Amino acid sequence: METEAKTVGIIGGMGPQATVDLFQKIVEATPARRDQDHIHIIIDNFPQIPDRTAFLLGKGETPLPYILKSVRLLEKASVDVLCMPCNTAHYFVRDIRNATPLPFMSIVESTLNRIRSSFEDSKGIGLLATDGTVAGRVYHDPFEGAGYRIITPLEEGQRELMRIIYSVKAGEIAESVRAFEEIIDHMRFLGSKLVILGCTELPILLKYSNPTIPVIDATSCLAKEMVECAMGVRSSDNGDSVGTTGWQGHVPCPGTHR
């Protein structure tokens, strides 16, 4: 490929496994035939960023200064566009965009674009996300503004979901698969027509599971938009959902958001 691609900066470490997952999915989504066709990506793996959910529940330090420290480091590395594989941290998306002249690609907006293009008639959408993402209305506000109804687990189901998320962070993948599938079934019982995996730890479980309703991998949605933004071409369609059609449409790189 002769087109000069943009350099992508990833605000990472929230958590490290989720950061690796995004990187892998960007590589898989890139229409490359040789090493040199791939995107230049600079990752700041910064796991010392304080827990996002703890802050949003009033139990911890704000992660925003740490996130902006990562932004500054990536700015100095001369990246052209930023992204962040942590759904809960998107509570701070306006703060991030106001703090940098660089475009910032949102995982929430990427997922909304995906659903608009392929699931236009599915208005009841399940959301599996952290307590912080739910409390901060990270998905609720943009999706409800677009006419969708967000369905979250009942209280006991949400507690189990948080246990699963932190088990994945601890590397307990195999032990979490069955509980993950049961949560998907729980969402179907609540009336969800499809389910967003709105925590970047959850897609890590997809390769080991067999969901009974369509599942949207938000990380894959972001990966595909990063490829299209960075390269100005359609990404390779390796699937960002289970039991659904492939990615449709081209998403241009956004401008600055100051």
Side-chain angles (χ1 to χ4, degrees):
M1 273 174 209
E2 300 302 326
T3 303
E4 184 177 350
K6 296 178 173 65
T7 297
V8 169
I10 298 178
I11 305 165
M14 300 178 281
Q17 286 265 31
T19 302
V20 171
D21 190 46
L22 174 63
F23 175 69
Q24 180 68 35
K25 285 169 179 172
I26 290 175
V27 170
E28 291 172 351
T30 302
R33 302 185 68 177
R34 55 180 185 156
D35 291 349
Q36 293 77 17
D37 294 338
H38 282 277
I39 298 165
H40 185 197
I41 300 174
I42 299 175
I43 301 171
D44 179 26
N45 188 55
F46 192 8
Q48 287 71 36
I49 297 174
D51 190 285
R52 286 64 62 195
T53 290
F55 170 73
L56 289 172
L57 298 181
K59 300 177 181 178
E61 180 183 1
T62 175
L64 182 58
Y66 297 80
I67 293 170
L68 296 183
K69 180 179 180 180
S70 183
V71 169
R72 298 289 171 254
L73 186 151
L74 293 167
E75 286 175 340
K76 290 177 182 177
S78 299
V79 304
D80 300 302
V81 58
L82 296 167
C83 66
M84 179 170 63
C86 175
N87 288 267
T88 311
H90 279 68
Y91 176 81
F92 301 102
V93 66
R94 290 183 183 176
D95 299 287
I96 295 168
R97 285 174 169 166
N98 286 334
T100 179
L102 296 176
F104 176 86
M105 298 290 285
S106 160
I107 196 170
V108 179
E109 293 166 5
S110 298
T111 304
L112 180 55
N113 290 337
R114 167 71 169 101
I115 289 173
R116 278 174 164 164
S117 70
S118 298
F119 298 94
E120 192 174 0
D121 297 329
S122 298
K123 296 301 181 182
I125 299 175
L127 174 66
L128 297 182
T130 66
D131 292 347
T133 296
V134 175
R137 298 186 59 84
V138 173
Y139 274 83
H140 283 74
D141 287 345
F143 273 76
E144 289 176 359
Y148 295 96
R149 180 171 64 95
I150 291 291
I151 302 168
T152 54
L154 298 179
E155 186 175 349
E156 183 177 345
Q158 184 65 27
R159 281 198 301 270
E160 178 63 9
L161 177 61
M162 289 297 291
R163 188 195 66 76
I164 293 169
I165 289 168
Y166 281 91
S167 293
V168 174
K169 285 180 179 290
E172 298 169 2
I173 308 297
E175 301 90 332
S176 303
V177 172
R178 182 173 179 180
F180 173 66
E181 291 179 336
E182 289 174 352
I183 288 286
I184 299 290
D185 288 340
H186 173 67
M187 299 309 295
R188 183 178 61 172
F189 172 77
L190 294 177
S192 304
K193 302 303 181 185
L194 67 151
V195 173
I196 298 168
L197 301 184
C199 173
T200 47
E201 270 67 42
L202 296 176
I204 296 168
L205 298 170
L206 264 184
K207 67 179 72 174
Y208 309 104
S209 60
N210 185 27
T212 53
I213 57 175
V215 170
I216 300 296
D217 175 355
T219 303
S220 284
C221 294
L222 177 60
K224 287 177 169 53
E225 288 208 355
M226 292 310 301
V227 171
E228 297 194 3
C229 169
M231 304 187 74
V233 297
R234 182 175 176 139
S235 61
S236 299
D237 186 8
N238 294 311
D240 48 32
S241 52
V242 173
T244 64
T245 57
W247 173 263
Q248 299 174 4
H250 168 71
V251 180
C253 197
T256 59
H257 294 268
R258 277 194 177 282

